[in-house]
Amino acid sequence: MLELTQILKEHKLKVTPQRLCIFKILCETTEHPTAEAIYNSLKNEFPTMSLATVYKTLDTLVQHGLIQQLNVGEDSFRYDATVLSHPHVKCVKCGQVMDIHNMQTIKGLREEVKALTHFDLMHEQLYFFGTCPTCQKN
Amino acid sequence: MLELTQILKEHKLKVTPQRLCIFKILCETTEHPTAEAIYNSLKNEFPTMSLATVYKTLDTLVQHGLIQQLNVGEDSFRYDATVLSHPHVKCVKCGQVMDIHNMQTIKGLREEVKALTHFDLMHEQLYFFGTCPTCQKN
DNA sequence: TTAGATGCAAACTTTTTGCAACAAA
DNA sequence: TTTGTTGCAAAAAGTTTGCATCTAA
């Protein structure tokens, strides 16, 4: 928590309990929650917290590069505290979204895209869809 | 147009002027339009066309695997008549979304994801972001 | 003290739904 | 004739905005 306070200060953001708590939730979960999900897991601790504040805070954190916004083909956005670009895989049965880290083949992929399109690439969003090991058994 | 009629019939879909026209627009463009954009380009020719019909038609076509829905991190969905899975690249300056075909490195990517996650993979959505050659010059 | 954040309600955007009239097969 | 489609309006869902109050610095 002290560390998160520090990070917010470094970005010249006022350190409020609401911000800290939203940021903390994102850092501690691997579930890539939506704004609504974050709001629901917070409103016990912060009964006066409003969904608008969640959205404003998430927007602020995205603007400062502290979290990233995901778009997994759903009707709402998800958020991820891991800013380093990494692919995600979503289970079409249970709906969970998982990170995939340490991919070796991405570098080659980027190079091929660059060669084919002549774009000056900045970042990418890679989403895979299928059935997770648990759902495969059922 | 005859060909599109044929395709709709093969899927046991009633062939209406609205459906044909929406399907045709998607087949002829490379711009990955949104529902709204399709509606706008149609309402001169079909003054009674409603946006709800566009959405219903797009949904029907997606369900039958005749088009695919894209989610390029925007607030609305785009649609693509090329069903074969292929990556897309979006210019962060001018906003255009382009197809990338004939990627050689995707197969290796899929295999690595499969090995790392043990998911039974079905499809993927790969989006790259950067500056297009035209915008680089400006 | 002051710049900026919160929280409520209202607005806005995109997409979906209900249903009566209509058109393709 | 029957089954499914269209088109309107209303609703739903997600997100943003305006503004008065409040709070961190």
Side-chain angles (χ1 to χ4, degrees), chain A residues 8 13-23 42 46-61:
Chain A
L8 291 178
L13 293 170
K14 278 195 184 170
V15 181
T16 67
Q18 291 89 337
R19 273 189 185 158
L20 267 183
C21 194
I22 292 170
F23 197 8
L42 248 64
F46 290 84
T48 73
M49 165 82 70
S50 103
L51 193 50
T53 300
V54 176
Y55 276 110
K56 284 170 187 167
T57 302
L58 290 172
D59 187 53
T60 303
L61 296 177

Tab-separated table of all heavy atoms in Angstrom, chain A residues 8 13-23 42 46-61, chain C residues 4-8, chain D residues 17-24:
chain	number	residue	atom	x	y	z
A	8	LEU	N	1.526	6.732	-6.989
A	8	LEU	CA	0.579	7.808	-7.290
A	8	LEU	C	1.253	9.171	-7.143
A	8	LEU	O	1.094	10.054	-7.992
A	8	LEU	CB	-0.642	7.717	-6.355
A	8	LEU	CG	-1.571	6.514	-6.581
A	8	LEU	CD1	-2.709	6.514	-5.568
A	8	LEU	CD2	-2.131	6.501	-7.993
A	13	LEU	N	-0.409	12.550	-8.647
A	13	LEU	CA	-1.839	12.305	-8.433
A	13	LEU	C	-2.123	12.387	-6.947
A	13	LEU	O	-1.364	11.849	-6.143
A	13	LEU	CB	-2.219	10.912	-8.956
A	13	LEU	CG	-2.125	10.724	-10.468
A	13	LEU	CD1	-2.292	9.262	-10.829
A	13	LEU	CD2	-3.171	11.570	-11.166
A	14	LYS	N	-3.208	13.048	-6.589
A	14	LYS	CA	-3.591	13.087	-5.188
A	14	LYS	C	-3.898	11.686	-4.689
A	14	LYS	O	-4.542	10.907	-5.390
A	14	LYS	CB	-4.814	13.987	-5.007
A	14	LYS	CG	-4.484	15.448	-4.940
A	14	LYS	CD	-5.656	16.237	-4.403
A	14	LYS	CE	-5.357	17.717	-4.433
A	14	LYS	NZ	-6.566	18.516	-4.145
A	15	VAL	N	-3.419	11.399	-3.489
A	15	VAL	CA	-3.611	10.056	-2.940
A	15	VAL	C	-4.896	10.032	-2.105
A	15	VAL	O	-4.906	10.498	-0.969
A	15	VAL	CB	-2.403	9.656	-2.071
A	15	VAL	CG1	-2.611	8.251	-1.522
A	15	VAL	CG2	-1.126	9.723	-2.896
A	16	THR	N	-5.951	9.519	-2.667
A	16	THR	CA	-7.212	9.406	-1.922
A	16	THR	C	-7.467	7.939	-1.591
A	16	THR	O	-6.950	7.057	-2.278
A	16	THR	CB	-8.386	9.934	-2.757
A	16	THR	OG1	-8.575	9.060	-3.875
A	16	THR	CG2	-8.116	11.334	-3.271
A	17	PRO	N	-8.259	7.699	-0.554
A	17	PRO	CA	-8.566	6.309	-0.195
A	17	PRO	C	-9.197	5.559	-1.366
A	17	PRO	O	-8.874	4.392	-1.602
A	17	PRO	CB	-9.583	6.461	0.942
A	17	PRO	CG	-9.386	7.834	1.474
A	17	PRO	CD	-8.895	8.664	0.347
A	18	GLN	N	-10.067	6.221	-2.112
A	18	GLN	CA	-10.736	5.577	-3.237
A	18	GLN	C	-9.719	5.116	-4.287
A	18	GLN	O	-9.757	3.983	-4.760
A	18	GLN	CB	-11.725	6.552	-3.883
A	18	GLN	CG	-12.928	6.888	-3.034
A	18	GLN	CD	-12.691	8.089	-2.124
A	18	GLN	OE1	-11.551	8.416	-1.802
A	18	GLN	NE2	-13.763	8.740	-1.713
A	19	ARG	N	-8.828	6.018	-4.638
A	19	ARG	CA	-7.819	5.668	-5.649
A	19	ARG	C	-6.952	4.513	-5.206
A	19	ARG	O	-6.697	3.573	-5.956
A	19	ARG	CB	-6.927	6.881	-5.920
A	19	ARG	CG	-7.502	7.756	-6.961
A	19	ARG	CD	-6.534	8.821	-7.393
A	19	ARG	NE	-7.224	9.706	-8.319
A	19	ARG	CZ	-6.869	10.925	-8.589
A	19	ARG	NH1	-5.816	11.457	-7.998
A	19	ARG	NH2	-7.549	11.634	-9.451
A	20	LEU	N	-6.477	4.609	-3.992
A	20	LEU	CA	-5.606	3.566	-3.468
A	20	LEU	C	-6.306	2.210	-3.538
A	20	LEU	O	-5.727	1.215	-3.965
A	20	LEU	CB	-5.236	3.867	-2.017
A	20	LEU	CG	-3.944	4.634	-1.805
A	20	LEU	CD1	-3.683	4.795	-0.322
A	20	LEU	CD2	-2.780	3.895	-2.455
A	21	CYS	N	-7.577	2.220	-3.136
A	21	CYS	CA	-8.289	0.956	-3.037
A	21	CYS	C	-8.541	0.335	-4.415
A	21	CYS	O	-8.381	-0.869	-4.608
A	21	CYS	CB	-9.591	1.190	-2.295
A	21	CYS	SG	-10.359	-0.317	-1.771
A	22	ILE	N	-8.913	1.169	-5.363
A	22	ILE	CA	-9.132	0.666	-6.728
A	22	ILE	C	-7.827	0.143	-7.323
A	22	ILE	O	-7.785	-0.935	-7.918
A	22	ILE	CB	-9.724	1.792	-7.609
A	22	ILE	CG1	-11.149	2.112	-7.147
A	22	ILE	CG2	-9.701	1.397	-9.082
A	22	ILE	CD1	-11.738	3.352	-7.772
A	23	PHE	N	-6.784	0.895	-7.144
A	23	PHE	CA	-5.468	0.509	-7.649
A	23	PHE	C	-5.033	-0.809	-7.001
A	23	PHE	O	-4.573	-1.736	-7.685
A	23	PHE	CB	-4.472	1.628	-7.334
A	23	PHE	CG	-3.185	1.577	-8.107
A	23	PHE	CD1	-2.991	0.687	-9.154
A	23	PHE	CD2	-2.141	2.454	-7.789
A	23	PHE	CE1	-1.798	0.661	-9.863
A	23	PHE	CE2	-0.947	2.426	-8.480
A	23	PHE	CZ	-0.771	1.525	-9.512
A	42	LEU	N	-16.084	-3.143	-3.856
A	42	LEU	CA	-15.654	-2.018	-3.035
A	42	LEU	C	-16.761	-1.427	-2.189
A	42	LEU	O	-16.505	-0.798	-1.160
A	42	LEU	CB	-15.127	-0.905	-3.949
A	42	LEU	CG	-13.633	-0.631	-3.869
A	42	LEU	CD1	-12.884	-1.855	-4.329
A	42	LEU	CD2	-13.305	0.554	-4.749
A	46	PHE	N	-16.551	0.917	1.079
A	46	PHE	CA	-16.817	2.335	0.825
A	46	PHE	C	-18.275	2.526	0.417
A	46	PHE	O	-18.570	2.616	-0.781
A	46	PHE	CB	-15.934	2.851	-0.312
A	46	PHE	CG	-14.495	2.968	0.032
A	46	PHE	CD1	-13.663	1.870	-0.067
A	46	PHE	CD2	-13.956	4.182	0.443
A	46	PHE	CE1	-12.314	1.979	0.249
A	46	PHE	CE2	-12.614	4.298	0.754
A	46	PHE	CZ	-11.791	3.187	0.657
A	47	PRO	N	-19.169	2.594	1.379
A	47	PRO	CA	-20.590	2.640	1.036
A	47	PRO	C	-20.953	3.850	0.169
A	47	PRO	O	-21.923	3.806	-0.566
A	47	PRO	CB	-21.272	2.724	2.406
A	47	PRO	CG	-20.270	2.213	3.376
A	47	PRO	CD	-18.945	2.617	2.824
A	48	THR	N	-20.173	4.912	0.247
A	48	THR	CA	-20.527	6.108	-0.530
A	48	THR	C	-19.863	6.115	-1.906
A	48	THR	O	-20.106	7.022	-2.697
A	48	THR	CB	-20.095	7.385	0.206
A	48	THR	OG1	-18.677	7.499	0.125
A	48	THR	CG2	-20.532	7.339	1.659
A	49	MET	N	-19.016	5.135	-2.166
A	49	MET	CA	-18.316	5.069	-3.455
A	49	MET	C	-19.313	5.033	-4.614
A	49	MET	O	-20.306	4.312	-4.572
A	49	MET	CB	-17.458	3.806	-3.483
A	49	MET	CG	-16.948	3.398	-4.838
A	49	MET	SD	-15.483	4.309	-5.325
A	49	MET	CE	-14.271	3.624	-4.194
A	50	SER	N	-19.049	5.799	-5.639
A	50	SER	CA	-19.953	5.779	-6.790
A	50	SER	C	-19.260	5.169	-8.008
A	50	SER	O	-18.034	5.222	-8.136
A	50	SER	CB	-20.441	7.189	-7.108
A	50	SER	OG	-19.779	7.714	-8.210
A	51	LEU	N	-20.080	4.592	-8.882
A	51	LEU	CA	-19.541	3.973	-10.092
A	51	LEU	C	-18.800	5.001	-10.937
A	51	LEU	O	-17.791	4.692	-11.580
A	51	LEU	CB	-20.699	3.348	-10.872
A	51	LEU	CG	-20.388	2.395	-12.017
A	51	LEU	CD1	-19.397	1.326	-11.611
A	51	LEU	CD2	-21.671	1.752	-12.514
A	52	ALA	N	-19.278	6.233	-10.905
A	52	ALA	CA	-18.617	7.298	-11.675
A	52	ALA	C	-17.186	7.496	-11.200
A	52	ALA	O	-16.280	7.715	-12.011
A	52	ALA	CB	-19.410	8.590	-11.555
A	53	THR	N	-16.983	7.410	-9.897
A	53	THR	CA	-15.630	7.553	-9.357
A	53	THR	C	-14.742	6.417	-9.830
A	53	THR	O	-13.571	6.627	-10.155
A	53	THR	CB	-15.668	7.586	-7.813
A	53	THR	OG1	-16.456	8.696	-7.407
A	53	THR	CG2	-14.284	7.711	-7.239
A	54	VAL	N	-15.302	5.212	-9.866
A	54	VAL	CA	-14.529	4.082	-10.365
A	54	VAL	C	-14.090	4.355	-11.804
A	54	VAL	O	-12.919	4.203	-12.150
A	54	VAL	CB	-15.345	2.775	-10.291
A	54	VAL	CG1	-14.558	1.629	-10.909
A	54	VAL	CG2	-15.704	2.444	-8.853
A	55	TYR	N	-15.029	4.782	-12.629
A	55	TYR	CA	-14.687	5.068	-14.023
A	55	TYR	C	-13.655	6.182	-14.136
A	55	TYR	O	-12.697	6.088	-14.904
A	55	TYR	CB	-15.943	5.456	-14.805
A	55	TYR	CG	-16.725	4.263	-15.312
A	55	TYR	CD1	-17.956	3.926	-14.770
A	55	TYR	CD2	-16.216	3.459	-16.332
A	55	TYR	CE1	-18.670	2.830	-15.230
A	55	TYR	CE2	-16.923	2.367	-16.795
A	55	TYR	CZ	-18.147	2.054	-16.247
A	55	TYR	OH	-18.842	0.971	-16.709
A	56	LYS	N	-13.845	7.243	-13.359
A	56	LYS	CA	-12.895	8.359	-13.425
A	56	LYS	C	-11.511	7.923	-12.975
A	56	LYS	O	-10.505	8.288	-13.578
A	56	LYS	CB	-13.393	9.522	-12.563
A	56	LYS	CG	-14.528	10.317	-13.194
A	56	LYS	CD	-15.117	11.297	-12.178
A	56	LYS	CE	-16.364	11.984	-12.729
A	56	LYS	NZ	-17.121	12.697	-11.671
A	57	THR	N	-11.466	7.136	-11.921
A	57	THR	CA	-10.179	6.667	-11.408
A	57	THR	C	-9.489	5.756	-12.410
A	57	THR	O	-8.293	5.900	-12.678
A	57	THR	CB	-10.379	5.926	-10.072
A	57	THR	OG1	-11.004	6.814	-9.150
A	57	THR	CG2	-9.068	5.432	-9.522
A	58	LEU	N	-10.255	4.815	-12.973
A	58	LEU	CA	-9.669	3.904	-13.954
A	58	LEU	C	-9.125	4.696	-15.134
A	58	LEU	O	-8.029	4.435	-15.624
A	58	LEU	CB	-10.721	2.897	-14.426
A	58	LEU	CG	-11.142	1.859	-13.377
A	58	LEU	CD1	-12.321	1.043	-13.861
A	58	LEU	CD2	-9.971	0.950	-13.030
A	59	ASP	N	-9.882	5.682	-15.569
A	59	ASP	CA	-9.447	6.507	-16.688
A	59	ASP	C	-8.137	7.226	-16.355
A	59	ASP	O	-7.200	7.240	-17.155
A	59	ASP	CB	-10.546	7.522	-17.013
A	59	ASP	CG	-10.215	8.296	-18.273
A	59	ASP	OD1	-9.931	7.639	-19.300
A	59	ASP	OD2	-10.222	9.536	-18.237
A	60	THR	N	-8.072	7.777	-15.154
A	60	THR	CA	-6.853	8.459	-14.718
A	60	THR	C	-5.659	7.506	-14.725
A	60	THR	O	-4.584	7.844	-15.222
A	60	THR	CB	-7.047	9.021	-13.292
A	60	THR	OG1	-8.177	9.884	-13.293
A	60	THR	CG2	-5.823	9.784	-12.836
A	61	LEU	N	-5.867	6.315	-14.175
A	61	LEU	CA	-4.766	5.355	-14.089
A	61	LEU	C	-4.319	4.907	-15.480
A	61	LEU	O	-3.130	4.714	-15.728
A	61	LEU	CB	-5.177	4.149	-13.228
A	61	LEU	CG	-5.471	4.445	-11.750
A	61	LEU	CD1	-5.926	3.190	-11.027
A	61	LEU	CD2	-4.235	5.030	-11.058
C	4	DG	P	-4.918	21.364	-10.753
C	4	DG	OP1	-3.670	20.955	-11.431
C	4	DG	OP2	-5.978	22.146	-11.442
C	4	DG	O5'	-5.595	20.055	-10.152
C	4	DG	C5'	-4.983	19.392	-9.042
C	4	DG	C4'	-6.013	18.536	-8.369
C	4	DG	O4'	-6.972	19.351	-7.668
C	4	DG	C3'	-6.836	17.650	-9.319
C	4	DG	O3'	-6.825	16.359	-8.778
C	4	DG	C2'	-8.219	18.276	-9.270
C	4	DG	C1'	-8.246	18.771	-7.839
C	4	DG	N9	-9.259	19.762	-7.509
C	4	DG	C8	-9.558	20.924	-8.182
C	4	DG	N7	-10.531	21.600	-7.620
C	4	DG	C5	-10.892	20.831	-6.522
C	4	DG	C6	-11.898	21.045	-5.529
C	4	DG	O6	-12.686	21.994	-5.440
C	4	DG	N1	-11.930	20.026	-4.594
C	4	DG	C2	-11.089	18.926	-4.596
C	4	DG	N2	-11.259	18.040	-3.623
C	4	DG	N3	-10.156	18.711	-5.516
C	4	DG	C4	-10.116	19.703	-6.437
C	5	DA	P	-7.387	15.110	-9.497
C	5	DA	OP1	-6.296	14.137	-9.598
C	5	DA	OP2	-8.148	15.524	-10.682
C	5	DA	O5'	-8.424	14.565	-8.421
C	5	DA	C5'	-7.953	14.280	-7.109
C	5	DA	C4'	-9.101	13.739	-6.292
C	5	DA	O4'	-9.995	14.818	-5.966
C	5	DA	C3'	-9.936	12.675	-6.983
C	5	DA	O3'	-10.211	11.662	-6.024
C	5	DA	C2'	-11.174	13.411	-7.453
C	5	DA	C1'	-11.305	14.535	-6.410
C	5	DA	N9	-11.834	15.774	-6.943
C	5	DA	C8	-11.390	16.469	-8.030
C	5	DA	N7	-12.047	17.577	-8.267
C	5	DA	C5	-12.998	17.618	-7.251
C	5	DA	C6	-14.009	18.538	-6.942
C	5	DA	N6	-14.241	19.647	-7.650
C	5	DA	N1	-14.780	18.280	-5.867
C	5	DA	C2	-14.543	17.162	-5.156
C	5	DA	N3	-13.616	16.227	-5.361
C	5	DA	C4	-12.875	16.518	-6.430
C	6	DT	P	-11.210	10.522	-6.364
C	6	DT	OP1	-10.755	9.382	-5.558
C	6	DT	OP2	-11.419	10.418	-7.813
C	6	DT	O5'	-12.547	11.084	-5.713
C	6	DT	C5'	-12.656	11.124	-4.299
C	6	DT	C4'	-14.072	11.518	-3.912
C	6	DT	O4'	-14.400	12.752	-4.576
C	6	DT	C3'	-15.143	10.505	-4.319
C	6	DT	O3'	-15.917	10.220	-3.149
C	6	DT	C2'	-15.961	11.236	-5.389
C	6	DT	C1'	-15.722	12.700	-5.035
C	6	DT	N1	-15.778	13.682	-6.156
C	6	DT	C2	-16.646	14.743	-6.056
C	6	DT	O2	-17.396	14.909	-5.112
C	6	DT	N3	-16.612	15.615	-7.125
C	6	DT	C4	-15.801	15.538	-8.248
C	6	DT	O4	-15.853	16.381	-9.125
C	6	DT	C5	-14.906	14.398	-8.281
C	6	DT	C7	-13.987	14.217	-9.438
C	6	DT	C6	-14.946	13.533	-7.256
C	7	DG	P	-16.868	8.942	-3.087
C	7	DG	OP1	-16.975	8.480	-1.697
C	7	DG	OP2	-16.426	8.022	-4.151
C	7	DG	O5'	-18.258	9.575	-3.529
C	7	DG	C5'	-18.892	10.509	-2.665
C	7	DG	C4'	-20.182	10.979	-3.310
C	7	DG	O4'	-19.870	11.887	-4.397
C	7	DG	C3'	-21.035	9.871	-3.929
C	7	DG	O3'	-22.395	10.179	-3.659
C	7	DG	C2'	-20.742	9.985	-5.424
C	7	DG	C1'	-20.564	11.483	-5.562
C	7	DG	N9	-19.780	11.934	-6.697
C	7	DG	C8	-18.730	11.275	-7.312
C	7	DG	N7	-18.201	11.953	-8.301
C	7	DG	C5	-18.943	13.123	-8.339
C	7	DG	C6	-18.847	14.248	-9.211
C	7	DG	O6	-18.054	14.428	-10.132
C	7	DG	N1	-19.796	15.221	-8.907
C	7	DG	C2	-20.727	15.135	-7.888
C	7	DG	N2	-21.556	16.154	-7.752
C	7	DG	N3	-20.834	14.084	-7.077
C	7	DG	C4	-19.916	13.123	-7.360
C	8	DC	P	-23.414	9.010	-3.278
C	8	DC	OP1	-23.667	9.094	-1.840
C	8	DC	OP2	-22.927	7.749	-3.888
C	8	DC	O5'	-24.734	9.434	-4.055
C	8	DC	C5'	-25.358	10.680	-3.733
C	8	DC	C4'	-25.710	11.441	-4.985
C	8	DC	O4'	-24.541	11.687	-5.779
C	8	DC	C3'	-26.651	10.724	-5.948
C	8	DC	O3'	-27.982	11.145	-5.696
C	8	DC	C2'	-26.181	11.167	-7.336
C	8	DC	C1'	-25.018	12.100	-7.043
C	8	DC	N1	-23.914	11.984	-8.016
C	8	DC	C2	-23.631	13.060	-8.851
C	8	DC	O2	-24.307	14.094	-8.767
C	8	DC	N3	-22.608	12.960	-9.752
C	8	DC	C4	-21.909	11.836	-9.815
C	8	DC	N4	-20.909	11.784	-10.705
C	8	DC	C5	-22.176	10.718	-8.961
C	8	DC	C6	-23.187	10.832	-8.089
D	17	DT	P	-17.028	12.880	-21.164
D	17	DT	OP1	-16.805	13.537	-22.463
D	17	DT	OP2	-15.916	12.629	-20.234
D	17	DT	O5'	-18.157	13.692	-20.385
D	17	DT	C5'	-19.444	13.803	-20.951
D	17	DT	C4'	-20.290	14.704	-20.072
D	17	DT	O4'	-20.820	13.942	-18.972
D	17	DT	C3'	-19.549	15.895	-19.468
D	17	DT	O3'	-20.361	17.043	-19.652
D	17	DT	C2'	-19.396	15.520	-17.997
D	17	DT	C1'	-20.617	14.647	-17.771
D	17	DT	N1	-20.514	13.595	-16.728
D	17	DT	C2	-21.598	13.389	-15.900
D	17	DT	O2	-22.618	14.037	-15.973
D	17	DT	N3	-21.430	12.375	-14.979
D	17	DT	C4	-20.319	11.579	-14.817
D	17	DT	O4	-20.297	10.708	-13.959
D	17	DT	C5	-19.226	11.849	-15.715
D	17	DT	C7	-17.976	11.050	-15.605
D	17	DT	C6	-19.364	12.837	-16.613
D	18	DG	P	-19.821	18.523	-19.339
D	18	DG	OP1	-20.102	19.360	-20.529
D	18	DG	OP2	-18.443	18.424	-18.800
D	18	DG	O5'	-20.788	18.968	-18.156
D	18	DG	C5'	-22.165	18.581	-18.169
D	18	DG	C4'	-22.878	19.243	-16.998
D	18	DG	O4'	-22.949	18.305	-15.893
D	18	DG	C3'	-22.198	20.481	-16.433
D	18	DG	O3'	-23.210	21.338	-15.914
D	18	DG	C2'	-21.290	19.921	-15.347
D	18	DG	C1'	-22.118	18.739	-14.824
D	18	DG	N9	-21.350	17.581	-14.398
D	18	DG	C8	-20.164	17.118	-14.929
D	18	DG	N7	-19.733	16.026	-14.346
D	18	DG	C5	-20.680	15.748	-13.374
D	18	DG	C6	-20.752	14.688	-12.435
D	18	DG	O6	-19.963	13.762	-12.272
D	18	DG	N1	-21.894	14.786	-11.644
D	18	DG	C2	-22.840	15.773	-11.739
D	18	DG	N2	-23.853	15.702	-10.892
D	18	DG	N3	-22.783	16.773	-12.615
D	18	DG	C4	-21.685	16.690	-13.395
D	19	DC	P	-22.855	22.797	-15.331
D	19	DC	OP1	-23.998	23.674	-15.675
D	19	DC	OP2	-21.461	23.167	-15.688
D	19	DC	O5'	-22.909	22.545	-13.751
D	19	DC	C5'	-24.006	21.834	-13.186
D	19	DC	C4'	-23.710	21.556	-11.720
D	19	DC	O4'	-22.937	20.331	-11.603
D	19	DC	C3'	-22.871	22.648	-11.039
D	19	DC	O3'	-23.384	22.864	-9.749
D	19	DC	C2'	-21.491	22.025	-10.958
D	19	DC	C1'	-21.875	20.561	-10.710
D	19	DC	N1	-20.812	19.575	-10.972
D	19	DC	C2	-20.821	18.369	-10.255
D	19	DC	O2	-21.726	18.163	-9.445
D	19	DC	N3	-19.842	17.459	-10.487
D	19	DC	C4	-18.889	17.723	-11.388
D	19	DC	N4	-17.941	16.796	-11.573
D	19	DC	C5	-18.861	18.948	-12.126
D	19	DC	C6	-19.828	19.840	-11.881
D	20	DA	P	-23.306	24.363	-9.113
D	20	DA	OP1	-24.459	25.115	-9.630
D	20	DA	OP2	-21.936	24.892	-9.266
D	20	DA	O5'	-23.563	24.070	-7.558
D	20	DA	C5'	-24.573	23.116	-7.177
D	20	DA	C4'	-24.027	22.224	-6.078
D	20	DA	O4'	-23.037	21.319	-6.628
D	20	DA	C3'	-23.335	22.977	-4.945
D	20	DA	O3'	-23.800	22.478	-3.689
D	20	DA	C2'	-21.851	22.694	-5.151
D	20	DA	C1'	-21.901	21.304	-5.802
D	20	DA	N9	-20.738	21.003	-6.638
D	20	DA	C8	-20.140	21.814	-7.564
D	20	DA	N7	-19.109	21.263	-8.177
D	20	DA	C5	-19.034	20.007	-7.609
D	20	DA	C6	-18.151	18.924	-7.826
D	20	DA	N6	-17.143	18.954	-8.710
D	20	DA	N1	-18.355	17.814	-7.089
D	20	DA	C2	-19.362	17.787	-6.197
D	20	DA	N3	-20.244	18.733	-5.910
D	20	DA	C4	-20.025	19.823	-6.659
D	21	DT	P	-23.188	23.040	-2.339
D	21	DT	OP1	-24.295	23.145	-1.375
D	21	DT	OP2	-22.321	24.204	-2.664
D	21	DT	O5'	-22.244	21.855	-1.855
D	21	DT	C5'	-22.806	20.530	-1.723
D	21	DT	C4'	-21.678	19.574	-1.371
D	21	DT	O4'	-20.741	19.509	-2.468
D	21	DT	C3'	-20.879	19.995	-0.136
D	21	DT	O3'	-20.821	18.882	0.750
D	21	DT	C2'	-19.505	20.371	-0.688
D	21	DT	C1'	-19.433	19.521	-1.955
D	21	DT	N1	-18.538	20.023	-3.038
D	21	DT	C2	-17.578	19.181	-3.546
D	21	DT	O2	-17.422	18.031	-3.153
D	21	DT	N3	-16.806	19.717	-4.545
D	21	DT	C4	-16.898	20.996	-5.073
D	21	DT	O4	-16.145	21.366	-5.961
D	21	DT	C5	-17.923	21.825	-4.488
D	21	DT	C7	-18.103	23.230	-4.981
D	21	DT	C6	-18.688	21.307	-3.510
D	22	DC	P	-20.126	19.025	2.161
D	22	DC	OP1	-20.823	18.115	3.095
D	22	DC	OP2	-19.923	20.452	2.474
D	22	DC	O5'	-18.697	18.375	1.853
D	22	DC	C5'	-18.653	17.063	1.294
D	22	DC	C4'	-17.228	16.757	0.878
D	22	DC	O4'	-16.825	17.642	-0.184
D	22	DC	C3'	-16.198	16.933	1.996
D	22	DC	O3'	-15.465	15.739	2.067
D	22	DC	C2'	-15.343	18.120	1.519
D	22	DC	C1'	-15.469	17.971	0.010
D	22	DC	N1	-15.190	19.178	-0.812
D	22	DC	C2	-14.212	19.107	-1.814
D	22	DC	O2	-13.603	18.036	-1.977
D	22	DC	N3	-13.961	20.202	-2.573
D	22	DC	C4	-14.652	21.327	-2.374
D	22	DC	N4	-14.374	22.374	-3.159
D	22	DC	C5	-15.657	21.433	-1.363
D	22	DC	C6	-15.890	20.335	-0.610
D	23	DT	P	-14.661	15.375	3.396
D	23	DT	OP1	-15.139	14.053	3.828
D	23	DT	OP2	-14.654	16.560	4.297
D	23	DT	O5'	-13.185	15.178	2.835
D	23	DT	C5'	-13.000	14.573	1.560
D	23	DT	C4'	-11.583	14.838	1.100
D	23	DT	O4'	-11.514	16.080	0.345
D	23	DT	C3'	-10.564	14.991	2.225
D	23	DT	O3'	-9.372	14.424	1.735
D	23	DT	C2'	-10.392	16.502	2.333
D	23	DT	C1'	-10.466	16.865	0.854
D	23	DT	N1	-10.803	18.262	0.509
D	23	DT	C2	-10.223	18.800	-0.612
D	23	DT	O2	-9.448	18.200	-1.325
D	23	DT	N3	-10.601	20.100	-0.874
D	23	DT	C4	-11.478	20.874	-0.152
D	23	DT	O4	-11.738	22.019	-0.495
D	23	DT	C5	-12.045	20.245	1.012
D	23	DT	C7	-13.007	20.999	1.866
D	23	DT	C6	-11.687	18.982	1.287
D	24	DA	P	-8.397	13.606	2.651
D	24	DA	OP1	-8.790	12.190	2.636
D	24	DA	OP2	-8.247	14.343	3.921
D	24	DA	O5'	-7.038	13.724	1.820
D	24	DA	C5'	-7.040	13.298	0.461
D	24	DA	C4'	-5.948	14.025	-0.305
D	24	DA	O4'	-6.305	15.415	-0.490
D	24	DA	C3'	-4.579	14.035	0.365
D	24	DA	O3'	-3.623	13.866	-0.669
D	24	DA	C2'	-4.493	15.410	1.030
D	24	DA	C1'	-5.350	16.275	0.109
D	24	DA	N9	-6.136	17.317	0.779
D	24	DA	C8	-6.780	17.230	1.973
D	24	DA	N7	-7.446	18.324	2.302
D	24	DA	C5	-7.215	19.182	1.240
D	24	DA	C6	-7.642	20.501	0.966
D	24	DA	N6	-8.422	21.208	1.787
D	24	DA	N1	-7.225	21.062	-0.178
D	24	DA	C2	-6.457	20.352	-1.008
D	24	DA	N3	-5.994	19.107	-0.867
D	24	DA	C4	-6.419	18.586	0.286
